Amino acid sequence: RGAHSVLVRTTEHEKLHFAVVLGCMADGTKLPPVIILKRKTLPRCNIPHGVLLRVHEKGWMNADGMVDWTKSVWEHRPGARATSAKISAGHGLLCWPQR
């Protein structure tokens, strides 16, 4: 009638939680993705070129993560100008308050 149990192969990372930050320009240019892992330290692994890996204790993007994204992704985008100083100072950047 069939097997009573079935062997299922897994990667053993079922409880790994992470967030991904994706962005693109108005002309369709894709910005490098940022992966935020729910950890305290960066893992020792090979990271694909063009992908930024960050860690956060709860795996969230917060205001500090947004400033890091601004400095590591937005300031290095194609056609970037010296406007990022205004964004880093809080002008033109929308951040929700932490609770």
Side-chain angles (χ1 to χ4, degrees):
R1 280 198 188 188
H4 289 276
S5 62
V6 177
L7 179 64
V8 177
R9 291 188 165 206
T10 68
T11 61
E12 299 180 6
H13 293 282
E14 287 81 14
K15 295 193 179 207
L16 180 66
H17 295 279
F18 61 92
V20 178
V21 180
L22 301 173
C24 67
M25 306 288 290
D27 64 358
T29 305
K30 296 176 186 172
L31 298 175
V34 178
I35 300 173
I36 305 169
L37 299 175
K38 184 178 177 179
R39 299 174 54 119
K40 293 185 180 182
T41 60
L42 282 170
R44 294 182 184 189
C45 63
N46 293 331
I47 303 165
H49 180 70
V51 175
L52 299 172
L53 189 62
R54 301 292 187 256
V55 293
H56 186 272
E57 187 174 336
K58 295 185 179 182
W60 296 345
M61 170 64 102
N62 58 8
D64 293 334
M66 195 66 207
V67 170
D68 178 56
W69 180 88
T70 302
K71 291 179 181 178
S72 59
V73 176
W74 187 251
E75 289 181 0
H76 300 291
R77 74 192 187 280
R81 294 191 197 108
T83 59
S84 56
K86 290 182 181 178
I87 292 175
S88 296
H91 302 288
L93 181 63
L94 178 63
C95 290
W96 283 267
Q98 296 178 352
R99 294 181 186 183

